[in-house]
Amino acid sequence: MISNLITKGMNGIPKIPGDKSISHRSIIIPSISNGICEINNILKSEDVLHTLKALKALGVRIIEKEEKIIIEGRGLNSLIEPKNPIYLGNSGTSARLLTGLLSSQKFKSILKGDKSLSSRPMNRIANPLINMNAKINTTNGSLPLTIESSNLIARDIELTIPSAQIKSGILLAALNTEGKTTITENKVTRDHTEIMLESFGANIEIEKLGSKKIIKVVGQRELYPNNIDVPNDLSSSAFFIVSALINKNSHITLKNINNNSTRNGILLALGKMGANIKLINQRTINNENLCDIEVYSSDLRGCELGPEYADLMIDEYPILSVAASFANSPSVFRGLKELKVKESDRLKLILLNLQNCGINCKTENDDLYIYPSENYKIINSSIQTDFDHRIAMAFCVMGTKLGPLKIKDFKSVNTSFPSFRDEFNKLGGNIF
Ligand code: S3P
């Protein structure tokens, strides 16, 4: 049996930060509304702060208080030309959403990012926008990217890559485009943008036909202002959930967690694995579903997940792979192609780091197989993260069972969860 390094388990109520996806949208959409919006519980992590700085550079007045920010929206068409290129650090969401937003504005802008972001694909957002007459030049399909002033034309666009970032970038462009833009998605992607746009009075119509969704937006209709309470982030919670499940004597409670059905694959997957997780106090705020989550130590079993799970939990495979390593039977997770173009090639890093932890696993095509054992012998305790926050946090959880692991570039956690180490250790974790 694998010994329990943290013998008292993980216990308590961690403070989970605001949802990252909703936080980005809670800056961008109020900024183009027609009035003053108060945003509570926004995530103040590096990624979101890059979006915030970008909107300030585009002339939006944003007042930052402790737990809230106040945004004075400038309307759809009144952003101003930034004095300098806009730097977005590591944030793919900022890059894709802002490309859409800026493509309809009447000035030139340049978007830049760090090394990792500059290697990520941008044609996936540039091409549909170019189809709408946007003038966008990428650098070999990536950042830096230049957007020139253009009059966009409403089109019917089918999403060929299931991505909420692409869908949201197009929606933001469509808001300031005359006529009706239609977006068809054949696979589920997170729907925070549509939900928020509806609550800001956008002229948006949504039709669902099975897993197919058709979104129609009539552009050039001003958004009215609205206040937002950002729920806490399920993706950030997942590291605590798994740490409690795989360590004996654990019981944690997570409060005000976003439980959006386009994002909750991790809860469904862990449910299949026999996790003792209870969702309580289910409620709706700003049309987003929230709940509190109780998690107890559990004997997990392995499971097989088809590619449809990837649509609902793409960011959670690093931590799910850690959970699967301590189950009592093998797991296979299928259809993980999109994992290769995240903040790092996550499929490669999951495999490499699991193998270095002594875990028998393999990839075949884009499927990941994990064969748990009763004993692991660490081969290399240095965890390669390529500056990817979710790889870093997932292997901190691995360290509660196998420690001590050396997580390289641990400071990447600041992109989504600056207080991760403190919260994790407060509950019984062992990050030094
Ligand atoms: C996000 C969408 C997802 C996700 C990312 C955040 C968003 O990316 O991986 O962390 O906020 O829209 P894709 O849309 O590219 O799948």
Side-chain angles (χ1 to χ4, degrees):
M1 276 301 271
I2 295 160
S3 62
N4 236 29
L5 272 179
I6 50 168
T7 48
K8 292 187 182 139
M10 295 288 282
N11 288 282
I13 308 178
K15 188 166 168 14
I16 301 295
D19 186 90
K20 183 155 82 74
S21 291
I22 297 177
S23 291
H24 284 293
R25 289 151 174 87
S26 298
I27 295 168
I28 297 172
I29 292 174
S31 292
I32 51 168
S33 76
N34 229 339
I36 297 178
C37 310
E38 190 177 296
I39 320 297
N40 280 301
N41 194 41
I42 194 141
L43 165 66
K44 291 199 172 161
S45 72
E46 283 177 4
D47 271 17
V48 177
L49 291 176
H50 282 299
T51 292
L52 188 123
K53 272 194 210 141
L55 270 304
K56 281 186 174 175
L58 292 162
V60 182
R61 189 151 179 258
I62 303 179
I63 302 155
E64 294 178 61
K65 302 206 167 156
E66 298 272 282
E67 289 276 299
K68 72 169 88 151
I69 58 171
I70 299 181
I71 300 182
E72 295 181 12
R74 292 181 69 95
L76 286 177
N77 208 12
S78 311
L79 298 176
I80 59 168
E81 181 161 356
K83 292 197 179 71
N84 297 304
I86 295 175
Y87 178 71
L88 300 172
N90 194 247
S91 180
T93 305
S94 314
R96 272 67 175 255
L97 270 58
L98 291 180
T99 302
L101 178 78
L102 292 169
S103 61
S104 74
Q105 297 292 319
K106 298 292 162 277
F107 51 77
K108 177 178 170 181
S109 37
I110 299 173
L111 301 182
K112 289 182 158 184
D114 70 8
K115 194 169 151 227
S116 146
L117 183 56
S118 303
S119 68
R120 294 181 66 187
M122 290 299 291
N123 278 339
R124 50 178 55 201
I125 179 65
N127 287 342
L129 293 169
I130 290 169
N131 179 21
M132 292 173 73
N133 204 36
K135 293 203 176 73
I136 300 174
N137 278 306
T138 64
T139 307
N140 301 320
S142 297
L143 297 185
L145 166 158
T146 306
I147 304 161
E148 307 273 355
S149 163
S150 172
N151 281 323
L152 299 193
I153 301 169
R155 300 260 194 231
D156 289 358
I157 296 171
E158 179 154 355
L159 290 184
T160 48
I161 302 169
S163 158
Q165 294 179 350
I166 303 175
K167 173 177 65 179
S168 303
I170 300 169
L171 281 170
L172 291 169
L175 288 176
N176 198 21
T177 299
E178 194 187 338
K180 190 185 275 183
T181 300
T182 304
I183 303 172
T184 303
E185 65 174 6
N186 296 307
K187 289 184 168 185
V188 180
T189 69
R190 65 192 68 192
D191 62 359
H192 306 302
T193 307
E194 298 93 295
I195 289 180
M196 199 177 287
L197 286 179
E198 279 176 332
S199 73
F200 276 70
N203 189 325
I204 182 168
E205 225 178 84
I206 297 171
E207 199 184 326
K208 284 188 190 154
L209 305 162
S211 64
K212 187 168 169 159
K213 183 172 171 185
I214 301 167
I215 309 165
K216 293 178 184 161
V217 180
V218 177
Q220 299 191 337
R221 305 286 166 89
E222 288 296 340
L223 304 178
Y224 52 71
N226 202 2
N227 297 334
I228 303 171
D229 280 314
V230 179
N232 293 333
D233 197 318
L234 178 60
S235 299
S236 298
S237 307
F239 304 104
F240 288 85
I241 294 174
V242 171
S243 70
L245 291 172
I246 63 176
N247 283 292
K248 296 256 176 280
N249 305 317
S250 299
H251 171 209
I252 63 168
T253 305
L254 303 148
K255 298 262 192 195
N256 303 328
I257 308 302
N258 185 227
N259 181 27
N260 177 313
S261 62
T262 62
R263 277 274 296 276
N264 66 354
I266 183 70
L267 297 176
L268 305 178
L270 290 169
K272 255 171 103 89
M273 295 173 79
N276 188 354
I277 296 177
K278 292 188 174 59
L279 306 188
I280 53 175
N281 298 330
Q282 306 210 33
R283 58 208 184 270
T284 303
I285 298 181
N286 297 121
N287 288 338
E288 288 280 358
N289 292 337
L290 267 72
C291 64
D292 300 337
I293 304 180
E294 300 270 356
V295 188
Y296 301 86
S297 317
S298 302
D299 292 325
L300 299 178
R301 50 182 179 267
C303 74
E304 177 168 351
L305 300 182
E308 66 283 4
Y309 276 82
D311 302 332
L312 302 179
M313 55 169 290
I314 193 68
D315 290 337
E316 278 66 72
Y317 283 97
I319 188 60
L320 187 71
S321 304
V322 173
S325 302
F326 300 100
N328 58 19
S329 57
S331 290
V332 51
F333 307 144
R334 300 195 189 279
L336 306 186
K337 185 166 163 231
E338 274 295 301
L339 264 190
K340 297 177 180 174
V341 289
K342 292 295 172 186
E343 286 84 329
S344 67
D345 178 343
R346 284 187 177 151
L347 194 53
K348 182 187 93 182
L349 287 186
I350 291 171
L351 190 74
L352 171 79
N353 290 316
L354 286 184
Q355 286 174 341
N356 279 338
C357 288
I359 291 152
N360 185 8
C361 56
K362 66 172 185 184
T363 50
E364 248 174 42
N365 304 315
D366 296 322
D367 302 339
L368 173 66
Y369 296 75
I370 298 174
Y371 305 96
S373 145
E374 301 247 307
N375 274 304
Y376 292 123
K377 192 167 175 327
I378 295 176
I379 295 161
N380 181 352
S381 62
S382 176
I383 300 299
Q384 184 179 331
T385 67
D386 290 356
F387 216 80
D388 185 325
H389 54 137
R390 299 203 198 277
I391 297 287
M393 291 187 276
F395 281 86
C396 287
V397 176
M398 179 66 91
T400 62
K401 297 291 279 186
L402 302 188
L405 300 172
K406 178 175 172 5
I407 313 287
K408 285 193 189 162
D409 298 315
F410 176 79
K411 66 175 187 292
S412 65
V413 303
N414 290 335
T415 62
S416 66
F417 199 159
S419 58
F420 176 73
R421 181 203 301 250
D422 288 351
E423 293 300 322
F424 198 71
N425 286 348
K426 238 195 283 172
L427 263 67
N430 58 348
I431 308 172
F432 302 110

